[in-house]
Amino acid sequence: MFSKACEYGIRAAVCIAGCDREGERLSLKAIAERTDSPEAFTAKILQKLVHAGLVRSVNGPGGGFSIPEPEARRIRLSQIVACIDGDAIYRGCALGLPQCNARKPCPLHDSFLKVREDLRLMLETTTLHELVSGLREGRTVLKR
């Protein structure tokens, strides 16, 4: 459903927001290891998230990436998806047809409208902090 870049971006943001100590920064290498993501690809994704103001970055010794808890409480998954994938997830055809619309629908068009709306609602109402809480409580994982 999401691009690979978006999947890695969400995992990286959750990992960063889940730092245990206030003010802790994670290195690119640590993020890639904790999320089982390729380091070079993760670097490109993090650049986008930093540029969008969703992740903080500090260069040099003691530097790294961070998302303070108050920001994690405000950041919605929809912001991360929009930063990396844009809004294509809300517009594209379920079967990948280029001209799918209400006048010439694909076989899944009407059913997929409801799925897309549910997805939009979930992404717009779920915060990074909620996902971090699942990790801290041991209900969810970022790496198998």
Side-chain angles (χ1 to χ4, degrees), residues 21-79:
R21 295 179 303 231
E22 187 65 33
E24 179 182 11
R25 294 184 197 98
L26 288 178
S27 69
L28 170 60
K29 182 178 176 108
I31 295 165
E33 286 175 358
R34 292 181 187 187
T35 61
D36 202 21
S37 306
E39 195 171 321
F41 196 35
T42 302
K44 290 178 183 180
I45 295 162
L46 287 172
Q47 278 182 328
K48 285 184 175 187
L49 295 174
V50 168
H51 188 264
L54 299 174
V55 174
R56 292 183 184 182
S57 174
V58 175
N59 292 324
F65 299 91
S66 66
I67 301 174
E69 185 175 343
E71 290 178 31
R73 289 181 181 277
R74 288 190 298 270
I75 296 172
R76 309 280 177 204
L77 290 184
S78 59
Q79 294 171 272

